[in-house]
Structures are given as structure tokens and as C-alpha cells.
């Protein structure tokens, strides 16, 4: 494409140069000829006054020799026969007698070619006797073509400069068009080879900029779709851990025997398989995207339902449970399945990482612009809360994939909220979940942090997906 543009520009410029330079050169040549013969006419007119006064050969010769052309031996005067006087020719004449007679007959200036090169201007001049004399001025070829060669050289130089300049401009224009297209093609190849971080600089002509923007948006969408797919696999697998935890705890009451041991071994094997699926999905691609708000649900009703499920297990383990703030309807912009998954993740962590008999509590607060869900326990607590909130960080604990709190965090951030870990009033861990209402900015103490955390998470995920 680049060389095609250069060839087209070269052909067009060459045609333009020829179309304008050749006629211009011919005009210059014609002007030089007109200038030479106009000068000859002026020189011929200088002898006119003398011819109108006298035709004496001696006087005429003196007059001719006193002129510039006469001194250069380029003027001749042809006087016809007057009365008994024979015709007289003064000076060095180069035109033939026939040309002189024809000029005298026609009564106007003519030109005649001269043997050996050059031309002769024949100018008729009236005499006092009424006859017509002819003044001949020799015009050499050098005067006729004076400056013509230089003009042609200048025109050729200008034309060549225009052609070279147009080729250079076409080459730069071609490079400006081709390079973005080559970068776009290269990025498409890289993306096809699985290098998802390939992006195209959004520069160049308007059309190619639009194509680059569309390609980058498509690549971002591909990355997000792949990340969401793997994240969904990891999260769905993690959700299986809640019933697996119940099964594992219930197997403790089966006692001894081959059937009980087989059941416990099967549960442990299933847990290991689920952990393997989660870790594989996590290692393949870091997660991107946020949980959507869905149709919304009643947080109080969902919490009561899930607490009814977990209370049976808590009773078996001798755990004291406290539930507060769920006596009235609290609508939140989170789909019921997502809130269920988040609650099960938090409550599952309590049963999984605290000793039997450890009490815990779930509190719900309506702050007007946000709903706060607190899950607290009297366990040993979390040594590094910030590390625990990082996706995929299991803290080196057995039976943990590090995705539980990430499910909770994504649910909160999808509404503009956030998650914070701290020390509970019971002495253990407190998970504080801020859930924004109707997309309004949060007014609580974690509001600013929530907004920054969400934007930072998106940027980090985008960079992770491109890594």
C-alpha cells in the first residue's frame, strides 16, 4: 500500500510537471524571440530619419556606421533606383534580393532566414521621393534563444524538485497510513496466539483510530469474558464448600466403622477435588469484573433463612448464635443467590476456622444510604486482615482457597460498597460489609475507601488479566 501510494503520486506529479513546464518553456522561448526582433525593429527605426532626408550613399554610409548595429556590421540599407540613379546597398546585407523585393512590395516588415544561421529583419522605410528603401538588421541565433536554455534548466529543476518532494510526502503519508494498520494486524495476531495483553496505540488517521479503539475494546471484552468465565468456575466450586463443610462436620457423628470411614474419605476427596478446581481456575486467569446488582432482595429475609440453615450445625457444635436487625424488611440491590453465596462464605469461615463452641453473631444495620452486615465471632481472629482480603490468598491454612472473602467483596463492590476486617466486640474477627443502595455514594466511614478500592480493583484486575 505504501509503495502504491508513492507510485500514484509520482505519476500524477510527473504529468502535472509536464503539462505545465513544457508550455511554460515554449512561452519563454517565444518571448525571447519577440524580444530579439523587437530590438531589431528599434535599431532599424534609427536610420529612418536619415533616409527621409537624403539618399546620398556617402551620407547614408556615415549614418549607418554611426549606429550600434552598423558598427557591429549587422545593418544594411537597400535603396532602390531613383530617377537616373542606380539602386544602392549600403552595409553587409545577408538577405537575398528576392526577400528585399518582396518586403518592398508588401510594404511591411518581414523576416528571412540567413545562410549559416540566424535571421534578417527587413523593415521598409519611406523615402522623400516616395520610393521605399529596405533596412536590413541581422539577428543572430544567440539573441533569438537568449535565456531559453537557462529557463528550461530552471523548469526542469523545479519539476524534478516537485517530483522528489511529492514522492517524499507520499512516502510519509503512506507510512502514516500503513504503520497503524501493521500495528493493528500484529496485535490481532498476538491476540489470536493467546497474548491477551496485546493493544494498539490509538493514533493515525481517523478511520484507523476508530479501528484501534474498536480493537482495544474488543480485546478488553475478551479478557473480561475469559476472566469472568474462570472466576465463575472458581466461585461456583467455592459455593460447593458450604454443603461439603456440613457433610464433613456431620461425618464426625457417624462413629467408627468401614461405612463411616468411607464416607469421611469420600468427603475429604470431594473437598480436595473442589479445591483443585478452584486453584486451577485461579491460576489460569486472575478474575475480572464485578457482581451485578441483579433484581435485588430482602436482606433480612435472606439472613433469617441462612441462619436457620446454619443454626442446626451451630447447635451440634455448641455455638451460641446472636442475630439482630432482621426484624424488618431491608431491600438491597443484590440478587438473592449472590447474597446467599456471600453469607455462606462468611458463616462457613466461622465454622471452618474457629474451634467448636465459639460463639458468633450476625447484625444488620440500615444506615440510610447503605446497609451494613456484620459477622463477628469470638475466635482467634485474623493476623493480617489486608492479606486475607486479597483474592486467592489462603493464608497457608488447610482447607482454604482464599476465595470466600473475595465473593463477599465483589458483592459489596458491585453496589459501590466495600468490605473491612477488624476486631469484633466478641474478641475475634469482625467482617463488616457495606452495601450501597440504588447506586448512591456511601456516607459511612468506609465510603471513600470503597470507591477507591473498587476503581483500584478494576485497574489491578485489568493489569492482571493482561499479564
Amino acid at each position: 500500500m505504501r509503495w502504491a501510494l508513492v507510485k500514484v503520486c509520482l505519476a500524477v506529479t510527473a504529468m502535472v510537471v509536464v503539462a505545465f513546464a513544457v508550455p511554460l518553456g515554449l512561452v519563454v522561448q517565444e518571448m525571447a524571440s519577440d524580444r530579439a526582433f523587437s530590438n531589431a525593429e528599434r535599431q532599424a527605426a534609427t536610420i529612418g530619419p536619415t533616409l527621409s532626408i537624403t539618399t546620398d550613399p556617402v551620407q547614408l554610409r556615415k549614418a549607418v556606421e554611426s549606429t550600434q548595429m552598423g558598427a557591429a556590421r549587422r545593418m544594411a540599407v537597400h535603396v532602390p533606383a531613383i530617377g537616373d540613379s542606380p539602386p544602392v546597398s549600403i552595409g553587409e546585407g545577408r538577405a537575398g534580393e528576392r526577400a528585399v523585393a518582396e518586403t518592398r512590395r508588401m510594404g511591411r516588415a518581414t523576416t528571412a532566414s540567413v545562410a549559416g544561421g540566424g535571421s534578417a529583419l527587413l523593415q521598409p522605410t519611406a523615402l522623400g521621393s516616395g520610393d521605399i528603401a529596405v533596412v536590413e538588421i541581422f539577428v543572430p541565433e544567440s539573441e533569438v534563444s537568449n535565456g531559453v536554455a537557462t529557463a528550461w534548466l530552471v523548469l526542469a529543476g523545479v519539476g524534478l524538485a516537485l517530483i522528489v518532494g511529492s514522492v517524499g510526502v507520499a512516502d510519509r503519508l503512506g507510512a502514516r497510513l500503513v504503520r497503524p494498520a501493521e500495528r493493528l494486524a500484529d496485535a490481532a495476531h498476538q491476540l489470536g496466539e493467546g497474548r491477551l495483553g496485546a493493544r494498539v496505540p490509538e493514533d493515525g488517521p481517523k478511520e484507523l483510530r476508530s479501528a484501534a479503539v474498536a480493537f482495544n475494546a474488543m480485546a478488553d471484552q475478551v479478557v473480561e469474558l475469559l476472566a469472568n468465565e474462570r472466576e465463575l468456575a472458581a466461585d461456583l466450586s467455592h459455593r460447593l464448600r458450604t454443603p461439603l463443610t456440613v457433610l464433613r462436620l456431620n461425618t464426625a457423628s457417624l462413629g467408627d466403622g468401614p461405612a463411616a470411614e468411607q464416607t469421611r474419605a469420600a468427603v475429604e476427596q470431594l473437598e480436595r477435588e473442589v479445591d483443585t478446581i478452584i486453584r486451577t481456575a485461579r491460576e489460569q486467569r486472575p478474575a475480572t469484573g464485578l457482581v451485578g446488582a441483579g433484581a435485588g432482595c430482602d436482606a433480612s429475609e435472606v439472613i433469617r433463612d441462612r441462619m436457620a440453615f446454619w443454626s442446626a450445625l451451630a447447635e451440634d457444635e455448641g455455638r451460641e448464635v446472636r442475630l439482630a436487625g432482621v426484624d424488618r424488611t431491608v431491600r438491597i440491590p443484590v440478587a438473592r443467590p449472590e447474597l446467599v453465596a456471600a453469607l455462606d462464605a462468611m458463616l462457613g469461615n466461622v465454622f471452618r476456622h474457629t474451634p467448636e463452641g465459639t460463639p458468633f453473631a450476625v447484625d444488620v444495620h440500615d444506615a440510610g444510604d447503605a446497609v451494613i452486615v456484620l459477622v463477628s465471632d469470638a475466635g482467634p481472629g485474623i493476623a493480617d486482615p489486608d492479606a486475607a482480603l486479597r483474592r486467592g490468598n489462603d493464608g497457608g491454612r488447610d482447607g482454604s482457597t482464599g476465595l470466600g472473602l473475595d465473593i463477599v467483596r465483589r458483592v459489596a463492590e458491585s453496589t459501590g460498597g466495600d468490605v473491612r476486617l477488624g476486631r469484633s466486640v466478641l474478641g475475634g474477627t469482625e467482617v463488616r460489609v457495606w452495601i450501597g443502595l440504588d447506586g448512591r455514594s456511601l456516607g459511612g466511614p468506609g465510603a471513600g475507601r470503597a470507591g477507591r478500592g473498587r476503581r483500584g480493583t478494576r485497574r489491578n484486575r485489568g493489569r492482571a488479566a493482561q499479564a
Side-chain angles (χ1 to χ4, degrees), residues 182-194 198 200 215 218:
E182 290 177 344
R183 288 196 295 263
L184 183 60
D186 182 63
H189 285 302
Q190 293 183 36
L191 189 64
E193 293 171 357
V200 183
F215 176 85
M218 178 196 69

Side-chain angles (χ1 to χ4, degrees), residues 97-157:
E97 292 182 359
R98 181 177 298 179
V100 173
E102 183 68 17
T103 300
R104 185 179 289 116
R105 184 186 66 80
M106 295 175 61
R108 59 183 179 82
T110 62
T111 58
S113 298
V114 176
S119 302
L121 173 68
L122 301 175
Q123 177 70 46
T125 303
L127 301 176
S129 62
D131 296 310
I132 296 178
V134 176
V135 180
E136 177 186 340
I137 304 294
F138 173 64
V139 181
E141 189 66 29
S142 58
E143 286 193 5
V144 175
S145 60
N146 183 31
V148 174
T150 302
W152 278 109
L153 288 175
V154 171
L155 290 175

Side-chain angles (χ1 to χ4, degrees), residues 17 32 54 61 115 134 137 142 225 261 263 289 335 362 371 390 415 441 465:
V17 168
T54 180
R61 187 176 301 276
V134 176
I137 304 294
S142 58
L225 290 175
E261 291 299 329
T263 302
V362 178
V371 172
R390 289 198 293 269
T415 66
S441 60

Side-chain angles (χ1 to χ4, degrees), residues 243-268:
L244 284 175
T245 299
V246 177
L247 289 175
R248 179 173 58 82
L249 295 174
N250 287 340
T251 55
S253 63
L254 294 179
D256 299 328
E261 291 299 329
Q262 290 177 0
T263 302
R264 282 190 284 268
V267 172
E268 291 176 358

Side-chain angles (χ1 to χ4, degrees), residues 107-452:
R108 59 183 179 82
T110 62
T111 58
S113 298
V114 176
S119 302
L121 173 68
L122 301 175
Q123 177 70 46
T125 303
L127 301 176
S129 62
D131 296 310
I132 296 178
V134 176
V135 180
E136 177 186 340
I137 304 294
F138 173 64
V139 181
E141 189 66 29
S142 58
E143 286 193 5
V144 175
S145 60
N146 183 31
V148 174
T150 302
W152 278 109
L153 288 175
V154 171
L155 290 175
V158 171
L160 182 61
L162 287 175
I163 291 175
V164 173
S166 65
V167 169
V169 171
D171 182 68
R172 292 299 90 199
L173 179 61
R176 185 169 179 266
L177 292 174
V178 170
R179 285 174 185 168
E182 290 177 344
R183 288 196 295 263
L184 183 60
D186 182 63
H189 285 302
Q190 293 183 36
L191 189 64
E193 293 171 357
R195 285 175 280 179
L196 302 182
R199 295 296 183 273
V200 183
E202 297 173 3
D203 56 10
K206 179 180 178 181
E207 293 77 8
L208 290 177
R209 284 201 307 271
S210 300
V213 171
F215 176 85
N216 292 338
M218 178 196 69
D220 292 338
Q221 186 68 16
V222 168
V223 171
E224 183 174 356
L225 290 175
L226 290 175
N228 286 341
E229 178 184 352
R230 291 179 172 89
E231 181 178 284
L232 179 61
D235 290 348
L236 289 178
S237 300
H238 186 275
R239 295 181 186 188
L240 294 176
R241 293 189 59 83
T242 296
L244 284 175
T245 299
V246 177
L247 289 175
R248 179 173 58 82
L249 295 174
N250 287 340
T251 55
S253 63
L254 294 179
D256 299 328
E261 291 299 329
Q262 290 177 0
T263 302
R264 282 190 284 268
V267 172
E268 291 176 358
Q269 176 64 26
L270 186 57
E271 282 188 323
R272 286 194 297 269
E273 293 297 333
V274 171
D275 290 347
T276 300
I277 295 174
I278 295 173
R279 290 193 176 92
T280 301
R282 186 183 67 207
E283 291 169 0
Q284 285 179 343
R285 181 68 56 193
T288 61
L290 298 175
V291 176
C297 66
D298 180 4
S300 298
E301 187 272 331
V302 174
I303 293 174
R304 288 195 303 266
D305 178 71
R306 298 315 298 162
M307 287 302 298
F309 172 81
W310 288 97
S311 295
L313 182 58
E315 184 177 352
D316 290 342
E317 294 189 357
R319 297 176 183 267
E320 180 183 349
V321 180
R322 183 175 62 84
L323 183 62
V326 295
D327 54 345
R328 60 188 181 89
T329 300
V330 180
R331 299 291 302 180
I332 59 174
V334 176
R336 180 186 177 89
E338 303 301 332
L339 182 59
V340 169
L343 289 171
D344 286 345
M346 290 187 288
L347 296 174
N349 284 340
V350 173
F351 283 87
R352 191 175 300 115
H353 301 300
T354 61
E356 293 186 10
T358 303
F360 66 95
V362 178
D363 299 278
V364 179
H365 301 280
D366 188 352
D369 60 351
V371 172
I372 305 170
V373 178
L374 300 176
V375 178
S376 53
D377 61 63
I382 298 177
D384 190 350
D386 292 335
L389 283 173
R390 289 198 293 269
R391 177 176 174 82
N393 180 53
D394 56 14
R397 295 174 293 180
D398 295 334
S400 175
T401 60
L403 295 179
L405 288 177
D406 186 71
I407 295 175
V408 180
R409 177 181 54 77
R410 289 189 300 108
V411 169
E413 289 183 352
S414 69
T415 66
D418 73 344
V419 177
R420 309 183 88 179
L421 298 183
R423 179 68 63 176
S424 72
V425 294
L426 300 179
T429 302
E430 177 186 83
V431 181
R432 180 184 297 262
V433 184
W434 289 76
I435 300 175
L437 300 179
D438 302 326
R440 291 175 290 179
S441 60
L442 300 185
R449 180 182 179 277
R452 292 190 298 273

